[in-house]
Structure formats: structure tokens, C-alpha cells
Amino acid sequence: MAAIDKIRSDIEKTKVKIAEQQKRLRELEQKVAEEKNLEIVRMVKAVKLDNKELSAFLKAYASGRISLPADMQAELKEQEDSENEE
């Protein structure tokens, strides 16, 4: 019986550790999302467009009326590929 009790105790300890690690994972994922959002805000502020101009630009880009230059598209593709490899 002592062996079974020890195993059950180890199971409970492991469950507690897993729950702690899952909480830590959620916190880290939230930090990543926050940093990505801050990066986007910084980039938007850097181009110094007002709300209407930014909205118009994004709508035009989304509809395909404007596109990125080929060299920038290639650079973005390379970045995406390297991120996917990680």
C-alpha cells in the first residue's frame, strides 16, 4: 500500500507542477501578444498618419488597390519563413 500512496502523492505533485507551468505559459503568451501590439503601435506612430489617413491606407492595402514594393514583399517572406522555422 505504501507504494501506491507514494505514486498517488507523486501524481498530485506532478499535477500541481503542470498547473503552475500552464499558468506560466499563459502569462508568457500574453506578454508576447502585448509586445507584438506595442511594436505595431510604435510602427504606426513612426509613420505619423492621423486616424483617417491610416484607415484609408489600410483599407486600400486590404482591397489590393496598393501593394508593397517587390523587395519589401521578399523581405517579409524571408522573415515569415525564418519565424516558421523556429
Side-chain angles (χ1 to χ4, degrees):
M1 286 300 220
I4 292 174
D5 291 338
K6 177 162 179 15
I7 293 169
R8 286 185 176 144
S9 174
D10 287 346
I11 289 171
E12 287 306 312
K13 289 177 186 175
T14 303
K15 286 180 179 181
V16 168
K17 289 178 183 179
I18 289 170
E20 290 170 355
Q21 290 299 315
Q22 286 175 331
K23 180 181 176 186
R24 174 92 172 117
L25 176 60
R26 285 189 298 274
E27 290 170 354
L28 291 171
E29 288 172 336
Q30 183 178 357
K31 284 182 181 181
V32 166
E34 289 172 3
E35 286 300 318
K36 284 182 177 182
N37 289 339
L38 284 172
E39 186 177 351
I40 292 167
V41 168
R42 286 185 205 110
M43 288 186 286
V44 168
K45 286 183 176 183
V47 295
K48 299 179 182 176
L49 296 174
D50 67 25
N51 291 346
K52 289 181 182 181
E53 292 170 328
L54 179 60
S55 179
F57 173 79
L58 292 174
K59 285 177 184 176
Y61 182 75
S63 70
R65 286 183 280 165
I66 59 172
S67 62
L68 296 175
D71 60 331
M72 291 181 89
Q73 288 179 0
E75 183 180 325
L76 287 175
K77 175 93 170 93
E78 289 174 10
Q79 288 176 358
E80 288 175 2
D81 291 345
S82 67
E83 288 175 2
N84 290 337
E85 290 174 359
E86 295 174 359

